[in-house]
Amino acid sequence: MMRIEIICTGDEVLTGKIVNTNFSYISQKLEDVGLSVRWETTVGDDRESLLRALRLAGERADAVIVNGGLGPTVDDLSQEVAAQAAGVELVLNDEWLTRMEEFFRRRSRVMPPNNRKQAMLPATAEVIDNPIGTACGFALDIGQARFFFTPGVPRELHRMLEEQIIPRLLAKSGMQTAIVLKRFHSYGLGESHVDALLRGVEELVPDGSVKLGFRAHYPQLETKLTVRGTDTEDTRRKLAPVEREVRKRLGNFILSEDDATLEGVVLAELTSRQGSLSIVETFTSGAIAARLAHLPGADKVFRRGVVARALGEVCAAVGLEGASATGELTRETAEAVARAARRQTGATHALAVLIDLDDGADRIDLGGTICLAIATEHEVASRRSRILGGREWVRLGAVEMGLDCLRRYLQNLPVYERIDFEKA
């Protein structure tokens, strides 16, 4: 097993002023292809600390990914310290300098003098292309390890890691490089529940080349199948029976696959039937509308969003001034609001997600009652649920439940199936 280390640089990462999402992304992508991280180190913008980290990693790891420190400012030290650790000179890479000058020229800008620093690389470095930025990635050997230096800008890191670094790591590890990653996104089932439901699916491919994994990020769960083979055709052949079985066992709880999102699925369903949608939501801060309204094509579907906290305000906004805004929140209330919102806007569909939050301090046993309804010209579907876990847990759960119930309705699936997160 290849020993891999990740080194993240920057005072803002070390002090916790920003969340280190780059580390999470790198480690997750490596896991997806069957590689694992053995060590993780975080260092600030300090030359000596970075030098010690590089030398130590070069003694104990086979491959090291260093993130950050490739910018044009004085605190970007990765190139200089890498050259020092490798015992080589720092030299100007004329080809990358030309690339940077062209990068600025295409944007009708003059390259600042300090950007020239980004073309200074260790003499033995292999350039790793950055097609969308000025930070030149590079690879070189320090000690016994192959080091890969990457930019801190997430979208630049993502391209470099997926297109260039992971293939190099797989080749170095001697593992089969034909890999397919299949992802299923679900809502309503917990990780342990799905693990139990999918027990034995890997054994459908007896040679052990299929690996099942999970990534929980409430309120969704991502189920992953990583398949290795001699070539793409081989991996697809192995994957086919396993993904069929996953779909069979998880059934209606699968809301999307691979890069598709729940909101994207909902928008596509509405678009395919030339439908339109209005949304009414309480306590969610407009999060349901925010998931949909910015998507390409949403301008032809999304009619209106009503956001309020008080039920009375909601009723007034959709023309139900005479409705009672007191008492227990019920499914019937949500149904009336959804019908009124649809009539008022002329949309083919209306979704109302109304939440009655518990009183008191935010705590793990604080919950909320969710009543939601989906109205069309001819019918209305609704459900009631109760979720515990604190204010944010309730908010996120209500947003996901509302969108997922709309997805189910549009796909002619039951709007109500009991989920693991709700309480009686």
Side-chain angles (χ1 to χ4, degrees):
M1 179 70 69
M2 185 163 61
R3 297 166 298 179
I4 300 176
E5 180 163 352
I6 298 174
I7 299 176
C8 297
T9 70
D11 287 341
E12 69 282 4
V13 176
L14 184 65
T15 59
K17 291 180 180 177
I18 65 169
V19 177
N20 190 1
T21 57
N22 281 354
F23 170 73
S24 299
Y25 185 85
I26 296 169
S27 58
Q28 185 66 49
K29 284 296 179 181
L30 293 179
E31 182 184 334
D32 287 343
V33 298
L35 299 170
S36 59
V37 178
R38 182 169 295 188
W39 300 283
E40 188 272 331
T41 303
T42 303
V43 296
D45 299 319
D46 168 24
R47 186 184 304 272
E48 290 305 315
S49 296
L50 179 55
L51 181 61
R52 285 195 300 270
L54 296 185
R55 286 175 171 166
L56 176 60
E59 294 173 358
R60 66 185 180 185
D62 301 308
V64 183
I65 299 173
V66 183
N67 184 240
L70 300 183
T73 59
V74 294
D75 58 344
D76 291 307
L77 302 171
S78 289
Q79 293 105 313
E80 299 173 40
V81 178
Q84 184 179 355
V88 298
E89 294 294 319
L90 202 63
V91 298
L92 179 67
N93 186 292
D94 292 317
E95 182 179 350
W96 191 257
L97 179 62
T98 301
R99 282 276 301 275
M100 283 198 301
E101 290 170 342
E102 179 61 23
F103 180 92
F104 282 94
R105 192 159 40 245
R106 287 197 306 269
R107 290 159 177 77
S108 301
R109 296 166 56 195
V110 177
M111 188 180 82
N114 62 345
N115 278 93
R116 182 182 175 91
K117 174 177 179 288
Q118 293 181 286
M120 299 296 294
L121 301 177
T124 56
E126 171 198 6
V127 172
I128 299 180
D129 189 27
N130 180 355
I132 54 175
T134 60
C136 176
F138 63 94
L140 83 165
D141 295 327
I142 299 173
Q144 66 179 16
R146 186 67 170 171
F147 279 69
F148 300 91
F149 289 80
T150 61
V153 179
R155 68 191 189 106
E156 298 177 20
L157 164 68
H158 297 177
R159 286 282 297 270
M160 195 176 292
L161 182 71
E162 294 173 28
E163 296 176 3
Q164 299 189 66
I165 295 175
I166 285 179
R168 286 171 167 85
L169 289 173
L170 289 172
K172 182 178 176 64
S173 71
M175 301 169 69
Q176 289 179 317
T177 56
I179 295 174
V180 171
L181 174 64
K182 180 68 183 177
R183 295 179 293 152
F184 299 90
H185 309 283
S186 61
Y187 166 69
L189 300 177
E191 185 174 0
S192 59
H193 190 172
V194 174
D195 183 52
L197 288 172
L198 298 182
R199 187 166 295 133
V201 295
E202 296 165 299
E203 297 166 14
L204 293 172
V205 181
D207 67 2
S209 57
V210 175
K211 178 186 177 185
L212 176 68
F214 304 99
R215 185 170 74 94
H217 49 111
Y218 179 81
Q220 289 190 16
L221 174 69
E222 181 181 271
T223 300
K224 302 177 295 181
L225 294 173
T226 304
V227 187
R228 295 183 177 280
T230 55
D231 52 36
T232 301
E233 183 179 348
D234 184 40
T235 56
R236 292 293 181 187
R237 177 183 57 79
K238 292 175 177 178
L239 175 62
V242 185
E243 64 177 327
R244 281 197 301 268
E245 190 65 19
V246 170
R247 291 193 190 100
K248 177 182 176 182
R249 297 190 192 186
L250 299 188
N252 300 336
F253 291 96
I254 297 175
L255 54 88
S256 66
E257 298 183 18
D258 299 320
D259 292 329
T261 63
L262 173 56
E263 53 269 28
V265 169
V266 168
L267 181 62
E269 292 285 353
L270 287 166
T271 301
S272 69
R273 63 196 72 193
Q274 296 183 311
S276 53
L277 177 67
S278 290
I279 299 172
V280 181
E281 47 192 311
T282 64
F283 180 63
T284 62
S285 303
I288 300 175
R291 291 267 291 269
L292 279 163
H294 72 286
L295 298 177
D299 55 309
K300 297 180 177 63
V301 172
F302 185 74
R303 288 287 176 86
R304 183 180 300 172
V306 175
V307 181
R309 282 299 299 270
L311 185 57
E313 294 290 338
V314 166
C315 292
V318 297
L320 291 175
E321 286 90 346
S324 172
T326 61
E328 183 183 1
L329 179 64
T330 65
R331 289 173 57 177
E332 289 73 23
T333 307
E335 290 173 0
V337 168
R339 287 194 189 99
R342 195 206 64 78
R343 286 195 303 268
Q344 187 184 67
T345 61
T348 62
H349 296 73
L351 170 66
V353 179
L354 310 179
I355 303 168
D356 184 12
L357 191 72
D358 293 350
D359 293 328
D362 192 12
R363 57 192 187 276
I364 195 68
D365 57 341
L366 183 138
T369 299
I370 303 163
C371 290
L372 65 86
I374 301 154
T376 65
E377 182 180 1
H378 302 294
E379 64 178 356
V380 62
S382 63
R383 71 164 295 180
R384 180 183 184 277
S385 181
R386 179 158 175 78
I387 295 178
L388 303 182
R391 299 172 68 89
E392 187 65 2
W393 195 269
V394 173
R395 187 184 74 85
L396 291 172
V399 170
E400 204 72 18
M401 183 182 293
L403 282 170
D404 190 53
C405 285
L406 181 56
R407 187 265 310 177
R408 285 169 169 266
Y409 182 86
L410 293 168
Q411 293 178 342
N412 297 314
L413 300 173
V415 168
Y416 175 76
E417 282 187 80
R418 183 168 177 81
I419 64 173
D420 290 345
F421 309 125
E422 65 183 334
K423 307 298 179 184

